[in-house]
Amino acid sequence: MYDRMGDLLSEFLDNGQLPPERKSSDAVTTEETERNENRLEIPVHLCADFARLGFSSESGVPSYSECRRAYKKKLLQSHPDLKNDNPVLQKAAAKVTKDLLFVWQRISAWYKEQCLL
């Protein structure tokens, strides 16, 4: 197979022509079909957790790195150490941080179960 491809390429180069382009629409359609067949959906029991990180269930499953980035961003926004001046806000931020940690542990465990890491 590779010999034939090499022969075709050298033939086109000797003639000073470029090889004709393949129609990518067929390839894209096949790739999209395979992607849709293999596409995971967010499990029902984790929809609220993904929504808490800012992902909708309609957009499909985000990558692990996207989830991690969203988790860290939310964690930085509500970290209790940033609310030192007000004890009430600090207590509320501690609760939010605890909830985010629980959400992240559930999502992370699901990614590990699905072997998506």
Side-chain angles (χ1 to χ4, degrees):
M1 179 170 117
Y2 291 113
D3 291 335
R4 178 69 182 136
M5 288 173 42
D7 293 340
L8 286 173
L9 183 59
S10 60
E11 183 181 316
F12 280 112
L13 292 175
D14 290 340
N15 294 335
Q17 300 175 355
L18 294 174
E21 292 186 27
R22 293 175 47 189
K23 292 184 178 180
S24 61
S25 62
D26 295 335
V28 170
T29 306
T30 306
E31 287 177 11
E32 286 178 2
T33 304
E34 288 175 4
R35 227 182 271 145
N36 288 338
E37 289 174 357
N38 296 330
R39 185 175 165 182
L40 290 173
E41 292 187 16
I42 296 175
V44 175
H45 69 281
L46 290 177
C47 283
D49 294 339
F50 277 100
R52 181 75 191 262
L53 294 181
F55 298 104
S56 69
S57 59
E58 295 146 5
S59 63
V61 177
S63 70
Y64 180 81
S65 60
E66 289 174 325
C67 281
R68 187 166 184 229
R69 228 176 290 126
Y71 163 69
K72 287 186 172 196
K73 184 178 177 182
K74 295 275 185 181
L75 193 61
L76 282 174
Q77 291 173 352
S78 63
H79 200 277
D81 290 345
L82 300 175
K83 316 285 192 225
N84 282 339
D85 55 338
N86 190 337
V88 175
L89 287 178
Q90 189 174 21
K91 189 174 182 178
K95 183 181 180 339
V96 169
T97 301
K98 185 178 176 183
D99 292 343
L100 280 173
L101 179 63
F102 180 70
V103 163
W104 174 246
Q105 287 173 341
R106 287 179 51 163
I107 289 175
S108 181
W110 179 77
Y111 274 103
K112 288 176 186 170
E113 287 174 8
Q114 299 298 317
C115 300
L116 297 174
L117 294 179

